[in-house]
Amino acid sequence: ILQLERVSRIYDTGKVLVPALQDVDLTVDRGEFLAIVGPSGSGKSTMMHILGCLDRPTSGRYVLDGTPVEELDDDALAAVRSRSIGFIFQSYNLLPRTSALENVATPLAYQGVPRRERLERARAALTLLGLGDRLDHEPTELSGGQQQRVGIARALVTEPAVLLADEPTGNLDSHAGAEVIELFRQLHATGRTIVLITHDLEVAEAADRQVHIRDGRIAPDGRIAA
Amino acid sequence: ILQLERVSRIYDTGKVLVPALQDVDLTVDRGEFLAIVGPSGSGKSTMMHILGCLDRPTSGRYVLDGTPVEELDDDALAAVRSRSIGFIFQSYNLLPRTSALENVATPLAYQGVPRRERLERARAALTLLGLGDRLDHEPTELSGGQQQRVGIARALVTEPAVLLADEPTGNLDSHAGAEVIELFRQLHATGRTIVLITHDLEVAEAADRQVHIRDGRIAPDGRIAA
Ligand SMILES: Nc1ncnc2c1ncn2[C@@H]1O[C@H](COP(=O)(O)OP(=O)(O)OP(=O)(O)O)[C@@H](O)[C@H]1O
Ligand SMILES: Nc1ncnc2c1ncn2[C@@H]1O[C@H](COP(=O)(O)OP(=O)(O)OP(=O)(O)O)[C@@H](O)[C@H]1O
Ligand SMILES: [Mg+2]
Ligand SMILES: [Mg+2]
C-alpha cells in the first residue's frame, strides 16, 4: 500500500530549478497492478524513485505501508528496500565486471540467503527470462535486451511484495516482452503489488488501472494521452 | 553503399565462443532506408557495429563505398566514421559530466567546424528533438528518453551520408517516437542511406525494406517474425 500525498520534487542543477513532480496525489492499494504512462520527461522515473525509497520528495509525504517514509533514516530505508521492494531500472544499473548470475544473486545476499541457495535461485530466474546460457556473461558481453532481462531477473528473484518496473520492455522484441509481462501477471496473481511505467500501450493494458502523467502532474481523469 | 560478404563475428569471452553473426550477406544500396528486425540477442547490434566501422568481422569482408574496410588502418577508419557515418547507440554512449549541447557539438569538432557554428547547429538539432530547454543538462540530469534523444541529435547534427540507428525509440512515448521517425524520413528524402534496428514493427514500417535476423543469420525470405 503506497501513498503519495501532495508530493513535489524539484531538481536544482545549480543553474536552474526543474519541477519534475508537482502536487502528486497517488494511492496504490495492496495487490494492485498499476500502469503509469506519459510523455518522455513527464516525471515517471522521478515518481518511481520516490516510491522505491531511492529519493525523497521536496515537499509532501510518502507513506509506505502505513509508515511515513520521512521518519525512516537511510539505514531503515535501505532495509525496507531490500526486504520488500524489487526495482527494475530504466537503465538497468547492473554491476559492471560481474556476471549475470552474480548480479541477480546480489539482492538475496542482502537478505542473508546462503550462497548456494541464492546462486540456484538466480540461475532459475535467469533461465525463466531466457538467459540460461548467458549466466557467466558480464554486462558488456550481453545484448541490450539481455541486459534489460538481467535487471528484470534481479528484481524478481526476491519475489518482492512490491515490484516497481521502469520501462522493462523498451529493448525487447514483442515475444520477449510478452514473456516478461506474463511473469508480472503471475507475480501479481500471488497477491503482490506492481507499479509499471511503460511507453507501450499494449503492455499498459496488462495492468488493472492506468494513471496518466504530464509535466509532473497526474491527469485528473486519466485521459491525457501519452 | 554497404556490403557485408559472408561476414561472421565470433566473441571469445575466455570461457566460451559466441557466434554472434554467421555468414551474413547484406547489400544496402545508396539512398536506401533499411530496417533490421529480430529477437533480442540475434546479432543486430553486432552487425551495426561492423557497418559503422566500430568492430571488424572475424571472417568475411565489409566493403564500404567500394573500399574493403580491412584495408583501412584504425586512423583511416576513424576518419571515415567522423566524415560519413552517424551512429545512434542502443545505450546512448553520451559523454558524462558534459552538457547535452556539448555532447551534440562534439562530432562537429571532429569535422573541424568552428566553435560558434557547431554550438548553433547543436542547439538547432536539440531543439528539433524537443530538448531546447535542456541544453545545459548533463546526462544524469535528463530522463531516459531525453538521453536517447540527445544521442539522436548527436547523430543527425553532422547530416551524415549514412545513418545507423540502433533502437532509437525504445524509451520514447509514441508521439516523440513518431517525431524521430519523421526526422529520419526527412533525412532519407535528401538521398541519405539509413539502417535502422528496431523492435517496434510500426517504426519498421517507415523503411523501404526489412531484413529479418535470427541467431546470427539473415532469414532468406525476410519472413521470420521478430
Ligand atoms: N562482448 C561479447 N562477448 C560475448 N558475447 C557477446 C558479446 N556481445 C554480445 N554478445 C552476444 O552476442 C549475441 C548478439 O548480441 P547483439 O548485441 O548483437 O544482439 P541484438 O540483436 O542487438 O540484441 P538486442 O535486441 O537485445 O539488443 C548475444 O547473444 C550476446 O549475448
Ligand atoms: N538530476 C536532475 N536534475 C535536473 N533535472 C532533472 C534531473 N533528473 C531528471 N530531470 C528532469 O526532470 C524531468 C522528469 O524526469 P523523469 O526522469 O522523471 O522523466 P520520465 O517521465 O521518466 O521520462 P522518460 O519517459 O524519458 O524516461 C525531466 O524533464 C528531466 O529533464
Ligand atoms: Mg523515465
Ligand atoms: Mg542490440
Side-chain angles (χ1 to χ4, degrees):
Chain A
I1 180 84
L2 320 169
Q3 264 170 296
L4 298 177
E5 300 173 359
R6 298 186 59 78
V7 160
S8 293
R9 177 64 170 99
I10 301 172
Y11 292 113
D12 184 350
T13 71
K15 287 184 202 161
V16 68
L17 295 177
V18 179
L21 291 178
Q22 306 185 60
D23 280 339
V24 169
D25 290 314
L26 182 75
T27 300
V28 185
D29 296 321
R30 187 183 310 281
E32 184 170 16
F33 187 164
L34 174 74
I36 298 175
V37 295
S40 172
S42 57
K44 305 179 296 299
S45 295
T46 300
M47 191 191 317
M48 202 72 128
H49 278 69
I50 292 170
L51 290 174
C53 302
L54 294 163
D55 188 21
R56 294 178 187 271
T58 310
S59 65
R61 286 209 314 171
Y62 175 35
V63 181
L64 171 60
D65 212 14
T67 304
V69 165
E70 64 208 336
E71 293 176 8
L72 303 175
D73 63 23
D74 288 352
D75 286 343
L77 271 189
V80 165
R81 280 201 306 270
S82 75
R83 197 183 56 229
S84 334
I85 297 174
F87 204 112
I88 298 168
F89 292 89
Q90 187 171 6
S91 55
Y92 324 148
N93 288 20
L94 303 181
L95 297 171
R97 293 181 299 281
T98 304
S99 71
L101 191 70
E102 289 289 351
N103 260 287
V104 175
T106 298
L108 296 172
Y110 287 126
Q111 292 186 344
V113 174
R115 181 163 180 78
R116 194 160 83 176
E117 180 186 342
R118 66 184 187 248
L119 290 181
E120 175 48 36
R121 286 170 62 179
R123 192 198 56 75
L126 283 162
T127 303
L128 212 50
L129 280 146
L131 297 174
D133 60 354
R134 291 286 181 274
L135 303 179
D136 301 330
H137 286 236
E138 298 179 1
T140 55
E141 298 169 335
L142 293 168
S143 77
Q146 290 169 343
Q147 293 175 36
Q148 185 157 44
R149 283 182 275 159
V150 173
I152 294 167
R154 180 179 60 183
L156 293 177
V157 74
T158 56
E159 296 176 287
V162 178
L163 177 70
L164 303 177
D166 194 346
E167 309 214 33
T169 62
N171 275 303
L172 300 179
D173 54 274
S174 53
H175 179 71
E179 291 187 333
V180 165
I181 296 310
E182 179 55 27
L183 288 173
F184 288 7
R185 275 205 187 98
Q186 291 174 17
L187 188 76
H188 180 230
T190 69
R192 274 131 171 123
T193 306
I194 301 182
V195 182
L196 163 67
I197 293 172
T198 184
H199 283 308
D200 189 327
L201 301 180
E202 263 194 60
V203 163
E205 295 290 311
D208 303 328
R209 174 168 74 110
Q210 292 182 22
V211 159
H212 291 245
I213 180 169
R214 185 180 209 92
D215 295 325
R217 295 182 186 277
I218 291 186
D221 61 356
R223 218 169 298 156
I224 291 182
Chain B
I1 180 84
L2 320 170
Q3 264 171 296
L4 299 177
E5 300 174 359
R6 298 186 59 79
V7 160
S8 292
R9 176 66 169 98
I10 301 171
Y11 292 112
D12 183 351
T13 70
K15 287 183 203 164
V16 67
L17 295 176
V18 178
L21 291 179
Q22 305 185 62
D23 280 338
V24 169
D25 291 313
L26 181 74
T27 299
V28 185
D29 297 320
R30 187 183 307 282
E32 185 171 16
F33 188 164
L34 175 74
I36 298 175
V37 296
S40 171
S42 56
K44 304 178 300 298
S45 295
T46 300
M47 190 190 320
M48 203 71 129
H49 278 68
I50 291 171
L51 290 174
C53 301
L54 294 163
D55 188 22
R56 295 178 188 270
T58 310
S59 64
R61 285 209 316 170
Y62 173 37
V63 182
L64 170 60
D65 212 12
T67 304
V69 165
E70 64 207 334
E71 293 176 10
L72 304 175
D73 63 23
D74 287 352
D75 287 342
L77 271 189
V80 165
R81 281 201 306 270
S82 76
R83 197 183 56 230
S84 332
I85 297 172
F87 203 113
I88 299 169
F89 293 89
Q90 186 170 7
S91 56
Y92 323 150
N93 288 22
L94 302 182
L95 297 171
R97 291 179 302 281
T98 304
S99 70
L101 190 70
E102 289 288 351
N103 259 288
V104 175
T106 298
L108 296 173
Y110 285 126
Q111 292 187 342
V113 175
R115 180 162 181 78
R116 194 159 85 175
E117 181 186 341
R118 66 184 187 248
L119 290 181
E120 176 47 37
R121 288 170 61 180
R123 192 200 57 75
L126 284 161
T127 303
L128 213 49
L129 280 146
L131 297 174
D133 59 355
R134 291 287 183 272
L135 303 178
D136 301 329
H137 286 235
E138 298 180 1
T140 55
E141 298 169 334
L142 294 169
S143 77
Q146 290 168 343
Q147 292 175 36
Q148 186 157 43
R149 283 181 274 159
V150 175
I152 293 167
R154 181 179 60 183
L156 292 178
V157 75
T158 56
E159 296 178 287
V162 178
L163 177 70
L164 303 177
D166 194 345
E167 310 215 31
T169 63
N171 275 302
L172 299 180
D173 54 275
S174 53
H175 179 71
E179 289 186 335
V180 166
I181 296 312
E182 179 55 27
L183 288 173
F184 289 6
R185 274 206 188 96
Q186 291 174 16
L187 188 76
H188 181 231
T190 68
R192 274 128 171 125
T193 307
I194 302 182
V195 182
L196 163 68
I197 294 172
T198 183
H199 285 306
D200 188 326
L201 301 180
E202 263 194 60
V203 164
E205 296 289 311
D208 302 329
R209 171 168 75 109
Q210 293 182 22
V211 160
H212 291 245
I213 180 168
R214 185 180 207 92
D215 296 324
R217 295 181 186 279
I218 290 187
D221 60 355
R223 216 167 299 156
I224 289 181

